[in-house]
Amino acid sequence: DPHESPTDTALREIYEESGRVVSVVKLLGVLVETSPIDYNWTSFVFLAEVPYFEPPFCDEGKLVWLTIKELENISTPPTTLPIFNALVQRQYFIFEAIYDGELQLQSL
């Protein structure tokens, strides 16, 4: 939203998609994706500790809990597993993903 900080955005998105109010999030990293066509994106990745709850309906996709092992077996964009690995290790990261004109990842 206009004039919203990345932290405020994370808190709002958690609430909108899960129905949970979280008061503390930790910035864990940044992913910047660029290409020579009209695709340029910056994502701020936050970590929040929450107790288990039954995932509610989400109109942006199916919200589910996954184990770390299950993450390795689902279809995700090539930038996802490095982010998940950093999250698990609690390591701060800055990833720069460079795509070609067909949106094929060239480097990360």
Side-chain angles (χ1 to χ4, degrees):
D1 289 343
H3 312 291
E4 188 175 55
S5 73
T7 300
D8 288 341
T9 300
L11 295 171
R12 178 181 51 78
E13 287 288 338
I14 291 168
Y15 177 73
E16 287 178 0
E17 294 180 22
S18 73
R20 299 294 166 170
V21 174
V22 174
S23 57
V24 177
V25 292
K26 178 183 177 187
L27 178 64
L28 208 57
V30 178
L31 168 65
V32 177
E33 298 177 273
T34 60
S35 76
I37 61 172
D38 193 16
Y39 178 79
N40 295 284
W41 196 259
T42 299
S43 301
F44 295 88
V45 179
F46 288 85
L47 180 66
E49 299 285 336
V50 297
Y52 177 85
F53 60 91
E54 199 60 41
F57 170 80
C58 178
D59 61 2
E60 293 186 32
K62 186 175 180 183
L63 185 60
V64 297
W65 292 104
L66 297 172
T67 66
I68 298 302
K69 205 64 172 158
E70 289 172 313
L71 292 174
E72 299 170 1
N73 299 319
I74 62 174
S75 178
T76 62
T79 54
T80 301
L81 279 178
I83 290 173
F84 286 154
N85 289 333
L87 288 169
V88 168
Q89 297 169 12
R90 306 285 203 271
Q91 288 184 325
Y92 184 77
F93 65 87
I94 298 176
F95 292 144
E96 183 178 43
I98 308 296
Y99 294 88
D100 65 16
E102 283 79 45
L103 294 181
Q104 298 299 310
L105 183 64
Q106 300 301 297
S107 68
L108 176 65

